[in-house]
C-alpha cells in the first residue's frame, strides 16, 4: 500500500474533500477514486459559513471555498475526556487553552485556513481540527485554489513512481 501522503496535510478543495470515502481495510484512512494513495489529513481555505458552539464539548463549523462546504469539528472537552486521563494535568490544561483560543478565531464570515485529521461521523466526511488560522491576505483563497489544482495535477493524481520526480 502506498503511504507517502499519510500524515501529510493534503491541500484539497471542498469538491474533492467531499468525494473522499473511507478505506474498507482501515476506516481512519480515506481515498478519492483518482488518488492512488490513502489520505489521513487535510488542509483547506475558505469562508466560515456556520458556527455551532457547545461549551465544554465542541465547536462545529463549516468552511466554504466556493466549490462546496466542509464540515469541521474542534473538540473542547479536554478536561473531561477519557482520552486525556493519562496525560499530566498541566499538558491537558495547555491543550484546552489552545483549543479555546482556536475556537475564538472561528467566526462566521472570516476567511480561515483549517488543518486537521480527516474523519467520518454519521456517514459524513469532516475535518477534526488541529489548527485554525485567520487569513488576512485577500488572495489566500485563490492561491489555495491554484495550489490545489497544481498539486492534484502533479502529485495527487499520478502514479507513485512519477510522484517522486514531479512534486515540489
Amino acid at each position: 500500500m502506498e503511504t507517502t501522503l499519510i500524515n501529510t496535510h493534503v491541500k484539497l478543495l471542498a469538491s474533492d474533500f467531499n468525494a473522499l470515502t473511507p478505506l474498507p481495510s482501515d476506516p481512519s484512512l480515506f481515498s478519492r477514486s483518482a488518488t492512488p494513495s490513502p489520505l489521513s489529513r487535510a488542509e483547506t481555505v475558505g469562508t466560515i459559513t456556520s458556527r455551532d458552539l457547545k461549551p465544554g464539548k465542541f465547536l462545529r463549523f463549516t468552511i466554504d471555498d466556493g466549490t462546496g462546504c466542509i464540515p469541521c469539528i474542534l473538540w473542547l472537552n479536554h478536561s473531561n475526556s477519557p482520552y486525556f486521563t493519562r496525560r499530566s494535568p498541566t499538558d491537558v490544561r495547555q491543550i484546552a487553552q489552545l483549543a479555546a483560543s482556536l475556537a475564538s478565531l472561528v467566526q462566521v464570515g472570516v476567511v480561515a485556513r483549517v488543518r486537521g485529521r480527516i474523519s467520518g461521523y454519521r456517514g459524513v466526511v469532516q475535518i477534526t481540527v488541529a489548527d485554525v488560522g485567520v487569513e488576512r491576505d485577500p488572495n489566500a483563497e485563490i492561491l489555495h485554489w491554484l495550489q490545489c489544482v497544481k498539486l492534484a495535477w502533479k502529485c495527487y493524481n499520478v502514479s507513485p513512481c512519477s510522484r517522486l520526480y514531479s512534486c515540489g
Side-chain angles (χ1 to χ4, degrees):
M1 177 185 287
E2 178 64 35
T3 60
T4 58
L5 295 177
I6 292 178
N7 293 326
T8 299
H9 285 101
V10 178
K11 294 183 180 210
L12 293 174
L13 295 173
S15 57
D16 292 326
F17 183 87
N18 291 325
L20 294 175
T21 56
L23 293 179
S25 59
D26 186 348
S28 69
L29 298 176
F30 293 78
S31 69
R32 290 186 313 137
S33 59
T35 306
S37 180
L39 309 175
S40 64
R41 302 188 186 282
E43 174 180 326
T44 192
V45 176
T47 303
I48 296 171
T49 56
S50 72
R51 182 180 196 275
D52 179 23
L53 176 64
K54 302 291 184 205
K57 294 182 180 180
F58 61 83
L59 170 65
R60 183 183 304 132
F61 63 97
T62 55
I63 189 162
D64 184 347
D65 70 0
T67 67
C69 293
I70 297 176
C72 302
I73 185 139
L74 174 60
W75 291 104
L76 303 172
N77 64 343
H78 302 90
S79 40
N80 57 10
S81 170
Y83 178 78
F84 292 100
T85 55
R86 288 187 241 172
R87 292 192 135 164
S88 78
T90 305
D91 289 348
V92 173
R93 202 170 18 262
Q94 287 177 339
I95 293 167
Q97 288 172 346
L98 175 62
S101 74
L102 292 176
S104 70
L105 297 174
V106 176
Q107 301 296 326
V108 173
V110 168
V111 175
R113 178 176 307 274
V114 175
R115 290 185 191 127
R117 187 173 44 82
I118 303 168
S119 58
Y121 179 69
R122 295 185 177 171
V124 176
V125 181
Q126 65 183 7
I127 295 178
T128 300
V129 177
D131 184 41
V132 176
V134 173
E135 287 293 342
R136 306 229 185 277
D137 182 352
N139 298 314
E141 196 169 358
I142 192 66
L143 179 61
H144 177 76
W145 272 46
L146 293 171
Q147 290 171 334
C148 286
V149 169
K150 179 183 177 184
L151 288 167
W153 184 56
K154 290 194 166 207
C155 297
Y156 306 154
N157 294 344
V158 296
S159 69
C161 295
S162 60
R163 182 181 299 129
L164 297 173
Y165 304 104
S166 63
C167 294

